[in-house]
Amino acid sequence: MVYIVGNSFCGSTLLGFLLSAHPDIIYLGEFKIKTWLKERSCSCGHSLDTCPFYTNFFSAFNEAKKSLFEDVRPRSVFNLLFRSDKIISKNAIEKMESFYQSISERVAQMYPNAQYIVDTSKSIWMLNGWLHTSLAEDIKIIWLTRQLKPSIASFTKRGFKFYHSLLSVLVNNLLTHYYLKWNRLDYLKLDYTRFYDDFDEVAKSTSAFLNIPIPSVYQNHNTHHVISGNSFTKKEFTGHFNGFRKDEEWKSQLTKNQKRILSWFD
Ligand SMILES: [Zn+2]
């Protein structure tokens, strides 16, 4: 598994699709999303009834996921930081294992050469769950970061309050840093800004980390069945991906004052 950690709106959906440019990397979106709550369409261009991946699998997928959610998600971030080994019950780990089992079986049926499944859940609690399963040794962690100004602008654009967004991003960065450090986890750090500037370099370092050649030019192999994440990005990859856009929307999204405050932290 490739597991991506980072803040909301850090570009993880984009990265998931870009990884699936390799035909043996299967991208299924964010496993932490409550996919049973609303009708969704799949990034492969089909509805859930006709998507070749989910058609006979969707209800089993959701059932397995639903039951593990309450058990794996900790009640507070402090539990995660200071008692990382004790917060998950044996029962929860078993549920996590059988959830993974059902996904990997389905993936193997449809893509017998698959080498990686990508989970862009981003949350540390979900990663913590995966790390308690027998899959732990085979998880490759990518920490995807994004500069503070475009990151916070993505929050305020969607109606989140400025200070609330700033605080949650800063806290999550700290949590991620210490979780990875204290658990001595190996990870690759990628910066979203580099995607536009030099994706060749990003593809190169990712290829070396995952030990599989990530194409620097996107080609669709229909190895993605994404029913969560950024819907704009999803649509782009359902159709034709037209390349990267420079990350500049924050310039008009943030006020002068907000930019000044963010400069203190960058
Ligand atoms: Zn699909």
Side-chain angles (χ1 to χ4, degrees):
M1 174 180 282
V2 180
Y3 190 92
I4 299 175
V5 293
N7 290 299
S8 301
F9 320 121
C10 66
S12 62
T13 306
L14 176 64
L15 179 58
F17 279 112
L18 294 170
L19 294 176
S20 77
H22 190 291
D24 299 334
I25 299 185
I26 317 302
Y27 179 36
L28 302 172
E30 301 178 30
F31 288 133
K32 72 157 190 206
I33 296 287
K34 297 176 177 176
T35 40
W36 58 90
L37 289 184
K38 64 174 183 181
E39 195 54 52
R40 291 160 192 272
S41 58
C42 185
S43 65
C44 68
H46 289 86
S47 70
L48 285 177
D49 304 332
T50 57
C51 161
F53 183 82
Y54 287 111
T55 180
N56 293 319
F57 177 58
F58 195 60
S59 54
F61 174 75
N62 278 334
E63 277 317 307
K65 207 201 279 197
K66 240 185 207 171
S67 71
L68 72 83
F69 259 50
E70 296 88 48
D71 293 329
V72 179
R73 195 171 193 152
R75 258 150 270 134
S76 96
V77 293
F78 297 104
N79 282 354
L80 202 53
L81 264 185
F82 301 113
R83 304 177 59 225
S84 63
D85 284 336
K86 295 170 198 151
I87 53 164
I88 294 187
S89 66
K90 220 175 137 204
N91 187 31
I93 297 167
E94 276 164 18
K95 285 178 181 175
M96 201 92 190
E97 298 248 0
S98 65
F99 177 53
Y100 177 72
Q101 190 74 20
S102 72
I103 300 165
S104 59
E105 274 168 17
R106 181 71 194 100
V107 165
Q109 278 170 3
M110 200 167 159
Y111 304 104
N113 297 320
Q115 288 195 47
Y116 282 111
I117 297 172
V118 184
D119 180 5
T120 51
S121 288
K122 297 184 294 291
S123 317
I124 291 295
W125 64 263
M126 189 78 181
L127 173 63
N128 190 56
W130 286 130
L131 289 173
H132 280 78
T133 67
S134 52
L135 179 67
E137 293 288 295
D138 295 320
I139 297 182
K140 294 278 192 181
I141 302 166
I142 296 179
W143 184 1
L144 182 58
T145 62
R146 191 176 179 187
Q147 286 175 335
L148 210 47
K149 283 170 191 154
S151 179
I152 302 301
S154 292
F155 279 87
T156 60
K157 187 182 154 189
R158 289 164 178 87
F160 291 95
K161 295 268 191 293
F162 176 77
Y163 286 107
H164 178 92
S165 310
L166 177 58
L167 190 68
S168 76
V169 165
L170 293 175
V171 168
N172 192 49
N173 285 347
L174 273 180
L175 174 71
T176 305
H177 173 81
Y178 284 111
Y179 182 85
L180 295 173
K181 190 176 166 181
W182 287 341
N183 289 290
R184 293 194 178 83
L185 296 166
D186 186 28
Y187 63 92
L188 172 73
K189 206 168 184 176
L190 292 180
D191 177 2
Y192 177 86
T193 318
R194 304 294 299 158
F195 287 17
Y196 177 87
D197 293 337
D198 192 358
F199 189 72
D200 273 358
E201 193 51 47
V202 174
K204 219 180 274 174
S205 59
T206 310
S207 303
F209 182 68
L210 299 180
N211 205 14
I212 188 171
I214 304 297
S216 58
V217 177
Y218 179 76
Q219 211 191 328
N220 192 351
H221 295 287
N222 294 306
T223 50
H224 55 80
H225 294 282
V226 178
I227 50 173
S228 58
N230 185 310
S231 60
F232 181 79
T233 309
K234 207 175 90 182
K235 229 172 261 168
E236 238 183 329
F237 284 89
T238 301
H240 180 72
F241 177 57
N242 284 313
F244 302 105
R245 284 175 309 274
K246 203 167 164 74
D247 200 5
E248 287 189 319
E249 215 186 333
W250 61 272
K251 289 184 179 168
S252 55
Q253 175 66 31
L254 297 172
T255 67
K256 211 175 152 192
N257 225 355
Q258 289 172 341
K259 286 176 198 162
R260 203 166 44 107
I261 292 165
L262 295 176
S263 299
W264 301 338
F265 295 95
D266 251 347

mmCIF file of all heavy atoms in Angstrom, residues 42-48 51-54 224-227, ligand 1:
data_model
loop_
_atom_site.group_PDB
_atom_site.id
_atom_site.type_symbol
_atom_site.label_atom_id
_atom_site.label_comp_id
_atom_site.label_asym_id
_atom_site.label_seq_id
_atom_site.Cartn_x
_atom_site.Cartn_y
_atom_site.Cartn_z
ATOM 1 N N CYS A 42 -18.113 7.031 -10.225
ATOM 2 C CA CYS A 42 -16.733 6.560 -10.162
ATOM 3 C C CYS A 42 -15.865 7.312 -11.168
ATOM 4 O O CYS A 42 -16.333 7.679 -12.244
ATOM 5 C CB CYS A 42 -16.700 5.063 -10.431
ATOM 6 S SG CYS A 42 -15.054 4.360 -10.233
ATOM 7 N N SER A 43 -14.593 7.490 -10.815
ATOM 8 C CA SER A 43 -13.682 8.216 -11.710
ATOM 9 C C SER A 43 -13.452 7.486 -13.036
ATOM 10 O O SER A 43 -12.965 8.075 -13.996
ATOM 11 C CB SER A 43 -12.330 8.438 -11.025
ATOM 12 O OG SER A 43 -11.695 7.200 -10.795
ATOM 13 N N CYS A 44 -13.815 6.212 -13.105
ATOM 14 C CA CYS A 44 -13.644 5.470 -14.363
ATOM 15 C C CYS A 44 -14.695 5.899 -15.382
ATOM 16 O O CYS A 44 -14.648 5.487 -16.541
ATOM 17 C CB CYS A 44 -13.698 3.968 -14.133
ATOM 18 S SG CYS A 44 -15.309 3.352 -13.635
ATOM 19 N N GLY A 45 -15.664 6.711 -14.943
ATOM 20 C CA GLY A 45 -16.671 7.234 -15.862
ATOM 21 C C GLY A 45 -18.012 6.516 -15.754
ATOM 22 O O GLY A 45 -18.991 6.907 -16.387
ATOM 23 N N HIS A 46 -18.065 5.487 -14.920
ATOM 24 C CA HIS A 46 -19.312 4.734 -14.759
ATOM 25 C C HIS A 46 -20.036 5.131 -13.477
ATOM 26 O O HIS A 46 -19.442 5.711 -12.572
ATOM 27 C CB HIS A 46 -19.012 3.237 -14.698
ATOM 28 C CG HIS A 46 -18.580 2.650 -16.002
ATOM 29 N ND1 HIS A 46 -17.271 2.660 -16.417
ATOM 30 C CD2 HIS A 46 -19.287 2.050 -16.986
ATOM 31 C CE1 HIS A 46 -17.181 2.077 -17.606
ATOM 32 N NE2 HIS A 46 -18.395 1.711 -17.981
ATOM 33 N N SER A 47 -21.309 4.784 -13.431
ATOM 34 C CA SER A 47 -22.016 4.906 -12.164
ATOM 35 C C SER A 47 -21.614 3.677 -11.334
ATOM 36 O O SER A 47 -20.999 2.742 -11.859
ATOM 37 C CB SER A 47 -23.520 4.905 -12.404
ATOM 38 O OG SER A 47 -23.913 3.623 -12.823
ATOM 39 N N LEU A 48 -21.973 3.680 -10.041
ATOM 40 C CA LEU A 48 -21.549 2.568 -9.195
ATOM 41 C C LEU A 48 -22.145 1.226 -9.636
ATOM 42 O O LEU A 48 -21.546 0.177 -9.418
ATOM 43 C CB LEU A 48 -21.892 2.849 -7.734
ATOM 44 C CG LEU A 48 -20.964 3.879 -7.082
ATOM 45 C CD1 LEU A 48 -21.392 4.157 -5.665
ATOM 46 C CD2 LEU A 48 -19.520 3.390 -7.110
ATOM 47 N N CYS A 51 -19.852 0.359 -12.813
ATOM 48 C CA CYS A 51 -18.386 0.363 -12.670
ATOM 49 C C CYS A 51 -17.898 -1.086 -12.536
ATOM 50 O O CYS A 51 -18.380 -1.813 -11.673
ATOM 51 C CB CYS A 51 -17.972 1.169 -11.441
ATOM 52 S SG CYS A 51 -16.293 0.776 -10.874
ATOM 53 N N PRO A 52 -16.958 -1.495 -13.388
ATOM 54 C CA PRO A 52 -16.501 -2.891 -13.333
ATOM 55 C C PRO A 52 -15.857 -3.275 -11.993
ATOM 56 O O PRO A 52 -15.872 -4.438 -11.616
ATOM 57 C CB PRO A 52 -15.485 -2.990 -14.479
ATOM 58 C CG PRO A 52 -15.135 -1.589 -14.840
ATOM 59 C CD PRO A 52 -16.308 -0.739 -14.467
ATOM 60 N N PHE A 53 -15.331 -2.289 -11.272
ATOM 61 C CA PHE A 53 -14.695 -2.609 -9.989
ATOM 62 C C PHE A 53 -15.718 -2.765 -8.862
ATOM 63 O O PHE A 53 -15.672 -3.707 -8.083
ATOM 64 C CB PHE A 53 -13.665 -1.529 -9.614
ATOM 65 C CG PHE A 53 -12.914 -1.839 -8.344
ATOM 66 C CD1 PHE A 53 -11.817 -2.691 -8.364
ATOM 67 C CD2 PHE A 53 -13.317 -1.303 -7.132
ATOM 68 C CE1 PHE A 53 -11.129 -2.998 -7.196
ATOM 69 C CE2 PHE A 53 -12.637 -1.605 -5.952
ATOM 70 C CZ PHE A 53 -11.544 -2.449 -5.988
ATOM 71 N N TYR A 54 -16.655 -1.817 -8.786
ATOM 72 C CA TYR A 54 -17.561 -1.792 -7.633
ATOM 73 C C TYR A 54 -18.863 -2.571 -7.823
ATOM 74 O O TYR A 54 -19.532 -2.888 -6.851
ATOM 75 C CB TYR A 54 -17.929 -0.348 -7.269
ATOM 76 C CG TYR A 54 -16.803 0.402 -6.604
ATOM 77 C CD1 TYR A 54 -16.160 1.449 -7.248
ATOM 78 C CD2 TYR A 54 -16.376 0.057 -5.321
ATOM 79 C CE1 TYR A 54 -15.119 2.146 -6.639
ATOM 80 C CE2 TYR A 54 -15.337 0.741 -4.707
ATOM 81 C CZ TYR A 54 -14.719 1.793 -5.366
ATOM 82 O OH TYR A 54 -13.696 2.459 -4.763
ATOM 83 N N HIS A 224 -7.893 3.358 -11.906
ATOM 84 C CA HIS A 224 -8.430 4.137 -10.782
ATOM 85 C C HIS A 224 -9.949 4.000 -10.719
ATOM 86 O O HIS A 224 -10.630 4.016 -11.742
ATOM 87 C CB HIS A 224 -8.033 5.614 -10.890
ATOM 88 C CG HIS A 224 -8.424 6.258 -12.200
ATOM 89 N ND1 HIS A 224 -9.704 6.701 -12.446
ATOM 90 C CD2 HIS A 224 -7.713 6.515 -13.310
ATOM 91 C CE1 HIS A 224 -9.754 7.226 -13.671
ATOM 92 N NE2 HIS A 224 -8.557 7.115 -14.225
ATOM 93 N N HIS A 225 -10.430 3.786 -9.500
ATOM 94 C CA HIS A 225 -11.875 3.745 -9.259
ATOM 95 C C HIS A 225 -12.121 4.573 -8.002
ATOM 96 O O HIS A 225 -12.205 4.050 -6.901
ATOM 97 C CB HIS A 225 -12.354 2.301 -9.104
ATOM 98 C CG HIS A 225 -12.194 1.525 -10.371
ATOM 99 N ND1 HIS A 225 -13.077 1.651 -11.422
ATOM 100 C CD2 HIS A 225 -11.215 0.686 -10.777
ATOM 101 C CE1 HIS A 225 -12.649 0.887 -12.429
ATOM 102 N NE2 HIS A 225 -11.527 0.298 -12.059
ATOM 103 N N VAL A 226 -12.195 5.860 -8.217
ATOM 104 C CA VAL A 226 -12.224 6.795 -7.100
ATOM 105 C C VAL A 226 -13.642 7.346 -6.925
ATOM 106 O O VAL A 226 -14.234 7.860 -7.874
ATOM 107 C CB VAL A 226 -11.223 7.950 -7.339
ATOM 108 C CG1 VAL A 226 -11.277 8.959 -6.213
ATOM 109 C CG2 VAL A 226 -9.819 7.394 -7.487
ATOM 110 N N ILE A 227 -14.178 7.185 -5.708
ATOM 111 C CA ILE A 227 -15.524 7.690 -5.453
ATOM 112 C C ILE A 227 -15.500 8.710 -4.315
ATOM 113 O O ILE A 227 -16.495 8.996 -3.691
ATOM 114 C CB ILE A 227 -16.497 6.524 -5.135
ATOM 115 C CG1 ILE A 227 -15.918 5.597 -4.062
ATOM 116 C CG2 ILE A 227 -16.783 5.702 -6.394
ATOM 117 C CD1 ILE A 227 -16.881 4.531 -3.590
HETATM 118 ZN ZN ZN B 1 -14.952 2.584 -11.527
#
